[in-house]
Amino acid sequence: MNIVLLGAPGAGKGTQAKLIEEKYGLTHIATGDIFRANIKGGTPIGKLAKSYIDAGKLVPDEVTCELVKDRLVNGEEGAGFMLDGFPRNLYQAEELDKFARIDLCINIDVDKSLLMDRICGRRMCSCGASYHVSTLNGATTCAKCGKPLFQREDDNPQTVGARLDTYASQTAPLEDYYKARGKLVTVDGGSGTPEEVFAVISSVIDKYLK
Ligand code: AMP
């Protein structure tokens, strides 16, 4: 099965994607991760993407759609895939429907007032784990693998403000897009622990697979 994970920055898409990948074997494809790897590698795509990412804006559609299309056409997705951070506007959603079949859109809903603190307090590990600074008790390494934690460059208040605005104006309308196609399931991502949110998501996926 193929899933789109929808949700504002800080809603927990990456955390849930990791748990879904472990349990269901779906391949996790995160456009933000692909862009960051390109920036790190100094590729032409990375150079182009950096200015947009730093400004909290979307990287141009042609570049992003081509990247995802290539990945899906050339990748081996046994059990299926899960898109995290794509599509992010109506154009991308329409393009995606031309080159892939989407079965389900899981929308992780979190109150906007929680997001700024969640993102600005976020500390990441290259293994994919993420933490909130308030729970680290001063630790600077990952509890899962021991590698040093870091803060994403775009997890600063100014860029986060722009990312949230971009989400509201361009990405949130995708809820209606998938709802109109009978594919949207909205899950509360704001009141439970990641494990509790995952239990709800699991039940949604299990119901679909039956
Ligand atoms: P994320 O890791 O999903 O929060 O993405 C980080 C940044 O990468 C976003 O703020 C955008 O600048 C860029 N980005 C990620 N996915 C897309 C996309 N589907 N379309 C355009 N830009 C994207």
Side-chain angles (χ1 to χ4, degrees):
M1 80 184 298
N2 302 327
I3 297 179
V4 162
L5 278 181
L6 202 60
K13 296 189 298 297
T15 302
Q16 294 303 323
K18 248 184 115 42
L19 296 169
I20 295 170
E21 187 173 38
E22 276 163 25
K23 180 164 177 186
Y24 296 97
L26 301 184
T27 304
H28 178 200
I29 301 170
T31 38
D33 288 348
I34 298 175
F35 286 132
R36 281 184 289 279
N38 275 277
I39 292 173
K40 210 170 169 189
T43 70
I45 286 182
K47 284 183 184 135
L48 178 128
K50 190 171 180 347
S51 59
Y52 293 94
I53 293 178
D54 288 348
K57 294 187 176 154
L58 297 186
V59 177
D61 288 335
E62 313 79 68
V63 177
T64 311
C65 289
E66 211 45 46
L67 210 77
V68 175
K69 192 173 172 182
D70 272 3
R71 175 69 187 74
L72 289 182
V73 171
N74 297 319
E76 287 286 321
E77 325 298 351
F81 62 81
M82 178 182 28
L83 291 170
D84 161 3
F86 185 92
R88 255 179 156 98
N89 59 26
L90 281 172
Y91 178 83
Q92 293 182 7
E94 284 165 357
E95 285 302 298
L96 175 62
D97 279 340
K98 292 180 192 164
F99 58 77
R101 186 201 76 237
I102 298 303
D103 301 305
L104 197 60
C105 172
I106 299 178
N107 176 37
I108 308 179
D109 184 42
V110 175
D111 195 276
K112 196 173 176 237
S113 63
L114 298 176
L115 296 171
M116 181 64 84
D117 173 65
R118 271 202 189 183
I119 312 176
C120 293
R122 180 160 71 176
R123 298 295 179 271
M124 316 289 297
C125 177
S126 57
C127 77
S130 88
Y131 303 86
H132 191 272
V133 73
S134 63
T135 65
L136 283 171
N137 294 320
T140 56
T141 53
C142 178
K144 295 189 177 122
C145 73
K147 282 191 236 150
L149 299 176
F150 62 91
Q151 187 169 21
R152 263 172 58 171
E153 242 181 78
D154 58 345
D155 282 354
N156 64 75
Q158 197 188 350
T159 309
V160 173
R163 285 160 66 198
L164 293 175
D165 289 346
T166 301
Y167 186 83
S169 62
Q170 301 200 49
T171 313
L174 293 185
E175 288 177 35
D176 284 342
Y177 182 88
Y178 286 108
K179 193 173 177 189
R181 285 156 182 77
K183 292 178 179 170
L184 185 81
V185 180
T186 295
V187 167
D188 175 9
S191 33
T193 62
E195 291 71 25
E196 284 165 346
V197 175
F198 181 59
V200 177
I201 290 180
S202 280
S203 68
V204 169
I205 296 176
D206 290 344
K207 200 167 144 201
Y208 181 86
L209 289 173
K210 262 191 200 152

